[in-house]
Amino acid sequence: MELPANHFKRGIHAGDQQLGLWCSLASHITVEILAGSGYDWLLIDTEHSPNELPMVFSQLQACMENKVQPIVRPPVTDAIWAKRYLDAGVQSFLFPMVETAEQAAAAVAYTRYPPEGVRGFAASSRASRFGRVKDYYSRAQEEICVLVQIESKLGMENLEAICAVPGIDGVFIGPGDLSADIGYLGDQGNEAVVTLIEGLVGRIVKAGNRAGILTGDEGLARRYIAAGNIFTAVGSDAGLLARGSEALARRFRASSIA
């Protein structure tokens, strides 16, 4: 059996726009539905979602029929969490709240076997397809994608140094926490925030790395893509369900009144 190819990692390194969707409902059923919707990647969130490892395991399985790449955001940037998700077969990570080059280098090390890193050895895990990928241990890092999330003033100050860390495949701008940290809590669409993010995207690109972001605002998504963003989450499962169900109810209530 061959090591599964990480088409998302190949895509961002080739400069091909990768469209994604945020999954925070902690459901393998919704993930399976969304996996067939045409996105390049799905973010499986465990930082701000009630999502535990056995549930994530099922959500990874729910992606298998499709080419979509599941990316897991651990609750913290931590070696133990990374090891457990790696053994479950996760190939792409979004590590939250990375603020220094040292933290970025540690995140990379969590995904690498010694001597390059500190990943623990597990025989016959899902990662190696239960021992069926014979060259897994020598080739695993080829298909592992490490993304780090910048969402603070300190992270912005160290942005170029973070971008330069070997093994960092992409730098994701966290607009929620970032806007809060600069005094615009809950106001991600403020022009001051948007302009700042466009500048950060430009800095990431100039530093030779690849920029990512999440926004459910189509206009902002297009602005960030125009600025050079290469992996873009354009909505979320919860947002689609909430706004879509509200819109449907409004249409029928309006027609019944009429």
Side-chain angles (χ1 to χ4, degrees), residues 63-220:
C63 292
M64 289 183 69
E65 285 186 353
N66 297 280
K67 192 177 176 179
V68 66
Q69 177 69 202
I71 301 173
V72 169
R73 179 167 70 170
V76 292
T77 300
D78 172 82
I80 303 301
W81 279 110
K83 175 171 61 177
R84 298 185 75 197
Y85 288 130
L86 284 162
D87 288 345
V90 174
Q91 290 183 305
S92 296
F93 289 87
L94 176 59
F95 288 104
M97 194 57 79
V98 171
E99 298 182 295
T100 67
E102 291 75 18
Q103 291 174 352
V108 175
Y110 299 157
T111 69
R112 306 299 202 249
Y113 289 115
E116 289 80 14
V118 296
R119 179 183 177 183
F121 178 88
S124 301
S125 68
R126 183 175 182 272
S128 65
R129 293 302 184 262
F130 312 102
R132 293 176 181 131
V133 179
K134 300 305 180 183
D135 58 353
Y136 177 79
Y137 302 103
S138 62
R139 294 189 52 222
Q141 72 182 51
E142 296 173 15
E143 304 299 339
I144 291 173
C145 183
V146 177
L147 313 171
V148 293
Q149 192 162 347
I150 304 301
E151 43 191 339
S152 69
K153 292 178 183 177
L154 182 57
M156 288 193 292
E157 292 172 7
N158 292 316
L159 183 58
E160 281 75 15
I162 291 169
C163 287
V165 172
I168 296 297
D169 296 293
V171 179
F172 184 92
I173 300 165
D177 284 323
L178 183 62
S179 59
D181 203 34
I182 62 173
Y184 292 92
L185 177 62
D187 193 12
Q188 300 176 35
N190 189 290
E191 186 58 33
V193 176
V194 174
T195 302
L196 174 65
I197 290 174
E198 289 175 321
L200 293 175
V201 171
R203 287 171 60 188
I204 293 167
V205 173
K206 186 176 180 181
N209 216 299
R210 291 143 292 277
I213 202 163
L214 159 69
T215 176
D217 184 310
E218 184 175 343
L220 291 182

Side-chain angles (χ1 to χ4, degrees), residues 7-8 12 25 28-29 35 41 50 82 94 96 121 124 139 181 191-193 224 237-238 251:
H7 298 289
F8 170 83
I12 61 173
L25 293 178
H28 63 281
I29 297 173
W41 57 283
L94 176 59
F121 178 88
S124 301
R139 294 189 52 222
D181 203 34
E191 186 58 33
V193 176
Y224 296 144
D237 54 1
R251 287 199 301 273

